[in-house]
Each structure stands twice: as structure tokens, then as C-alpha cells.
């Protein structure tokens, strides 16, 4: 899975600008689904049709978009001011590199290096221009963070593990799915980082009987972390609650049962703050039973998000195990 994850995380795609990452995923899933479409908002939908009458319509969602920045103003010297796209902390920005859709690279600088608690409005992007005239960045242009993928033992480090690692899980599930009674609807969604905007409309169109989002979650295993019973490397996490959703208890029970049958280590996740596409899917149409398979991840929303490959592979195995058998809720 590592080469796939590397390709996905190194690709460009801040919220609202998912064309490049969508084309990449489209290439990866070629021939794996009965049909593939792009819906009006840009969500990439791939469907494996139902094989048996007793099968359900199961939606799996992972978001293609990533956090980033959007240019608000270019000054006379060619420095670019910006707003965040999604949850970007100024603490992670100084000296960081961003890349625009056309490949333009910029470095984030700050007005006063002695500031203790920097804010984004004191920062600017330096693209190496000498003035507004030769600055290639237009107001409204969006950039993603730029950082190569690295391996540290079984840990993988990159920008945009949130949620390209979820996209990789969906792709691996498509590749590994040998037999299922269900219709499986794979949704690679847009605009999650700006408020799970893509997933709801995609669920409205797909009318699933149940849905699982696949996304990253925080861990409680770093110094002075919030108390949280999720650790890196201890298995995929089954979401029970986050600040946007209470997972359907029947889905939590189903996932735990399938994990036990396959002897897969899993952890229960209760996340204090943050949410996923599942929250929008759950309240789409007349409502959808929804849950989430989470990948434990350290340093979320920094350019160095860290996951453990064993947790990622565990998530793939858990979802395959769940899809291969009948589902009674
Ligand atoms: Co995120
Ligand atoms: Zn995410």
C-alpha cells in the first residue's frame, strides 16, 4: 500500500480544487467498479452493483480534499497574504512550503520572528517574486502544503494523510473485494475540510442503506495529550462519538463483531472535537445509519501527519470482512 499512499498524499487538492487528486484516484480504480461517475459537486463515485437480493446498499466515504490556503491579496513587493482553507494552525506554518495548482511553490514567512503566538494574518507567502508584476499567484488561487512522504519503521509521515490514507483504504477495499452480496458505493468526496459539504449531497444521490466514513482520528498517546483511548499502532478505531456525530450503535456492534471474528485488533474511539463525512451522510435524505472506521493519526493538520501502516491495513481488512458477509441491522 505504501506506493499508493505516497502517490495520494503528495498530490495537490485543497478543498474546492480536487480535480488533480480526483484524476489520480480515477486512474487507480480503473476497471474495479461497475460504473464510475462524478456528481455535480465533484464527488467521485464508483459503484460495485448488488450481487444478491439480500444485499444492502453500503456507502463508503473518504474525502479527497486537504487543508490549505487561499490567496487574499498580493502586495506591491509580490508577497501573498492568505486565509486558511480548513483548520490550519499558524503554529505549523512558519517556514512551511505551499504549492499552487500550477506548481508555483511558496514559503510561508512571518512579519516579526519574535512573536510568541503567531496568527495567520501576520504571515505571508513568499514565491520569490520581486514585485506584484512578476508574482504568478492571483487573488483566489488555492495552495496545498508541500512535503514529501517519508517512512519511519512502520510509521508513515506525510501531509494530507487526512484523508488520503482513507482514500487509499477505499481503493484497497475495491482491489481486495472478491465477493459481496452488497451494492458497494465508494464515494471520494470533496470539501470535507470546510465543513463536510460534499458528502451529504453524494449520500442524497446514492440513497445508501448504511454508510461508513473512513478518516483519521486523534490519538491520546503523545505527551500531555487529551485523555483518549486511541493509540498509534493498536489497530483501526471504530468511532462511537465525535463532536458532529453519534455513530449508529448497531454499526459499532457489527464492526466489533466482524473484527472479533477475524481476530483483528481494534480500538473504540470517542473523539472530543472534530468530525467526518459520516455526520453529513447520517442526516442526508430521511437519515442513514452511519459510522466511521478511523485511522489513528498523530500531528493532524500539520504537514507531518503520522499513521501506522498496520492500522491502515487493519482498516482495509475490517471493511472487507464486513462487506463479505450479510448485514442485518
Ligand atoms: Co481534516
Ligand atoms: Zn479528514
Amino acid at each position: 500500500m505504501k506506493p499508493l499512499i505516497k502517490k495520494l498524499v503528495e498530490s495537490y487538492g485543497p478543498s474546492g480544487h480536487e480535480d488533480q487528486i480526483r484524476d489520480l484516484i480515477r486512474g487507480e480504480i480503473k476497471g474495479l467498479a461497475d460504473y464510475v461517475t462524478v456528481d455535480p459537486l465533484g464527488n467521485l463515485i464508483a459503484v460495485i452493483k448488488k450481487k444478491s437480493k439480500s444485499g444492502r446498499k453500503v456507502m463508503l466515504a473518504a474525502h479527497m480534499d486537504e487543508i490549505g490556503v487561499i490567496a487574499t491579496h498580493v502586495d506591491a513587493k509580490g508577497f501573498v497574504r492568505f486565509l486558511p482553507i480548513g483548520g490550519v494552525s499558524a503554529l505549523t506554518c512558519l517556514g512551511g512550503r505551499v504549492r499552487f495548482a500550477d506548481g508555483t511553490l511558496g514559503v510561508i514567512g512571518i512579519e516579526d520572528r519574535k512573536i510568541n503566538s503567531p496568527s495567520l494574518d501576520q504571515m505571508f507567502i513568499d514565491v520569490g517574486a520581486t514585485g506584484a508584476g512578476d508574482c504568478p499567484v492571483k487573488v483566489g488561487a488555492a495552495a496545498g502544503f508541500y512535503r514529501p512522504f517519508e517512512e519511519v519503521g512502520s510509521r508513515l509521515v506525510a501531509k494530507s494523510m487526512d484523508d488520503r490514507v482513507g482514500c487509499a483504504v477505499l481503493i484497497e477495499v475495491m482491489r481486495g473485494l472478491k465477493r459481496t452480496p452488497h451494492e458497494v458505493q465508494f464515494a471520494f468526496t470533496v470539501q470535507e475540510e470546510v465543513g463536510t459539504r460534499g458528502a451529504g449531497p453524494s449520500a442524497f444521490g446514492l440513497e445508501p442503506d448504511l454508510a461508513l466514513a473512513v478518516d483519521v482520528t486523534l490519538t491520546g498517546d503523545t505527551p500531555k495529550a487529551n485523555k483518549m483511548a486511541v493509540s498509534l499502532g493498536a489497530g483501526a478505531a471504530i468511532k462511537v462519538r465525535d463532536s458532529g456525530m453519534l455513530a449508529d450503535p448497531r454499526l459499532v456492534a457489527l464492526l466489533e463483531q466482524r473484527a472479533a471474528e477475524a481476530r483483528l485488533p481494534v480500538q473504540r474511539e470517542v473523539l472530543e472535537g472534530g468530525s467526518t463525512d459520516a455526520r453529513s451522510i447520517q442526516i442526508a435524505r430521511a437519515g442513514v445509519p452511519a459510522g466511521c472506521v478511523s485511522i489513528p493519526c498523530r500531528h493532524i493538520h500539520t504537514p507531518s501527519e503520522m499513521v501506522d501502516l498496520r492500522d491502515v491495513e487493519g482498516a482495509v481488512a475490517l471493511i472487507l470482512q464486513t462487506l463479505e458477509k450479510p448485514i442485518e441491522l
Side-chain angles (χ1 to χ4, degrees):
M1 274 189 93
K2 281 188 277 188
L4 173 65
I5 296 171
K6 177 178 162 66
K7 260 193 264 180
L8 294 171
V9 295
E10 290 185 347
S11 179
Y12 170 89
S15 311
H17 300 80
E18 295 91 355
D19 342 19
Q20 294 182 25
I21 178 67
R22 183 170 53 239
D23 287 348
L24 176 66
I25 294 173
R26 211 176 180 151
E28 291 292 332
I29 63 173
K30 207 165 184 223
L32 295 174
D34 291 308
Y35 64 91
V36 176
T37 55
V38 177
D39 75 9
L41 285 186
N43 299 294
L44 176 66
I45 311 287
V47 177
I48 294 176
K49 284 197 213 143
K50 202 185 278 193
K51 302 290 182 313
S52 136
K53 260 211 178 118
S54 63
R56 316 294 298 265
K57 288 198 279 183
V58 184
M59 178 180 179
L60 300 175
H63 65 93
M64 297 185 286
D65 64 310
E66 61 182 335
I67 57 169
V69 297
I70 184 164
T72 54
H73 171 78
V74 181
D75 73 16
K77 291 187 168 166
F79 294 109
V80 180
R81 297 289 176 158
F82 61 94
L83 280 175
I85 295 175
V88 175
S89 163
L91 286 174
T92 68
C93 282
L94 186 58
R97 299 168 187 191
V98 295
R99 192 171 49 136
F100 291 84
D102 64 358
T104 298
L105 192 93
V107 177
I108 299 181
I110 191 163
E111 293 165 356
D112 176 359
R113 291 172 56 99
K114 292 189 285 292
I115 288 171
N116 284 325
S117 46
S119 61
L120 293 178
D121 59 8
Q122 299 162 322
M123 296 183 158
F124 52 84
I125 300 167
D126 180 356
V127 295
T130 58
D134 68 346
C135 177
V137 178
K138 285 200 179 73
V139 168
F145 289 88
Y146 181 73
R147 199 67 76 95
F149 169 92
E150 300 286 354
E151 287 175 50
V152 189
S154 67
R155 321 292 210 189
L156 311 178
V157 179
K159 63 102 177 155
S160 312
M161 281 295 181
D162 176 13
D163 184 29
R164 304 289 169 69
V165 75
C167 296
V169 168
L170 259 57
I171 294 168
E172 282 295 302
V173 167
M174 288 178 87
R175 289 178 178 161
L177 197 60
K178 297 287 177 272
R179 56 183 190 295
T180 176
H182 309 295
E183 172 170 315
V184 190
Q185 308 165 328
F186 299 85
F188 300 90
T189 64
V190 296
Q191 299 194 36
E192 191 272 354
E193 294 292 359
V194 289
T196 64
R197 294 179 192 167
S202 69
F204 189 98
L206 288 166
E207 294 186 70
D209 296 320
L210 62 137
L212 292 173
V214 182
D215 207 334
V216 297
T217 191
L218 296 171
T219 67
D221 59 355
T222 52
K224 295 194 181 172
N226 280 5
K227 287 221 172 2
M228 184 175 177
V230 172
S231 305
L232 204 65
I238 297 169
K239 190 185 292 291
V240 178
R241 180 265 186 208
D242 64 27
S243 54
M245 183 186 74
L246 296 161
D248 192 298
R250 297 168 297 178
L251 285 181
V252 174
L254 174 74
L255 290 166
E256 287 189 323
Q257 190 191 334
R258 293 291 179 260
E261 288 161 6
R263 296 215 172 88
L264 291 167
V266 287
Q267 347 183 31
R268 278 188 159 211
E269 174 206 351
V270 173
L271 179 65
E272 266 188 54
S275 199
T276 73
D277 277 343
R279 82 170 185 147
S280 291
I281 297 168
Q282 189 177 47
I283 54 172
R285 245 179 217 276
V288 179
C292 186
V293 174
S294 298
I295 313 296
C297 183
R298 291 181 186 160
H299 324 302
I300 291 183
H301 285 200
T302 78
S304 301
E305 298 176 327
M306 180 188 284
V307 301
D308 191 298
L309 183 61
R310 295 167 297 179
D311 298 339
V312 183
E313 289 170 344
V316 173
L318 174 60
I319 295 169
L320 283 173
Q321 184 74 15
T322 304
L323 291 173
E324 280 171 3
K325 295 180 182 173
I327 295 174
E328 297 298 335
L329 292 189

